[in-house]
Amino acid sequence: MLYTLIRVGLILAAGVLLSLAGLRSWLLWITAILVGAMVSFLLLRRQTAEFSQSLTSLTPRRTAGRQAAQDAAAEDALVDQAAESEGDRAPRVGAAESEGGRGNQGDGEEDSVNQDQKPRP
């Protein structure tokens, strides 16, 4: 927070100085931002390092939560895949009946086999 306030202060100070020098309008603020960035790069190395360190310390906590979510999603996908492959190995109930009835609708002999379980002579 302090680092950000110092940088904003440098930009405003540069803006005031450039305004006193005669610069006006949007060119004033673009130049002030560039001058403030250069000055902060040169003078605020220690604060930049501290700010960077504070951001880096937040990263492991955020990535740990993301990693757990990714691991859970991968595990769910493997479980679903295993369930599908188990389903392919097990005989499907009613599959033979529906296939026989659909494929041979016009064949009377096949229908009699399904109904009586004995072929007609």
Side-chain angles (χ1 to χ4, degrees):
M1 181 74 173
L2 179 65
Y3 175 72
T4 305
L5 290 175
I6 293 172
R7 286 197 63 175
V8 169
L10 286 172
I11 291 170
L12 291 175
V16 168
L17 290 175
L18 290 169
S19 177
L20 292 174
L23 218 52
R24 299 284 181 242
S25 83
W26 59 272
L27 188 59
L28 166 74
W29 293 110
I30 290 176
T31 308
I33 290 171
L34 291 174
V35 169
M38 287 187 283
V39 170
S40 68
F41 179 75
L42 295 173
L43 298 180
L44 301 177
R45 290 184 192 265
R46 183 175 54 91
Q47 288 85 356
T48 303
E50 290 172 3
F51 186 67
S52 175
Q53 184 65 29
S54 70
L55 289 178
T56 306
S57 69
L58 294 176
T59 304
R61 286 183 275 174
R62 289 182 181 169
T63 56
R66 252 186 251 134
Q67 185 64 37
Q70 289 173 350
D71 289 347
E75 182 180 352
D76 290 345
L78 288 174
V79 168
D80 291 344
Q81 184 181 11
E84 287 176 6
S85 67
E86 286 296 320
D88 291 343
R89 291 183 195 149
R92 294 186 302 183
V93 177
E97 295 169 8
S98 66
E99 288 175 7
R102 268 185 296 161
N104 299 322
Q105 290 175 355
D107 190 4
E109 184 178 349
E110 191 67 36
D111 289 337
S112 67
V113 173
N114 285 341
Q115 292 172 359
D116 300 336
Q117 297 300 325
K118 288 188 228 175
R120 291 185 191 175

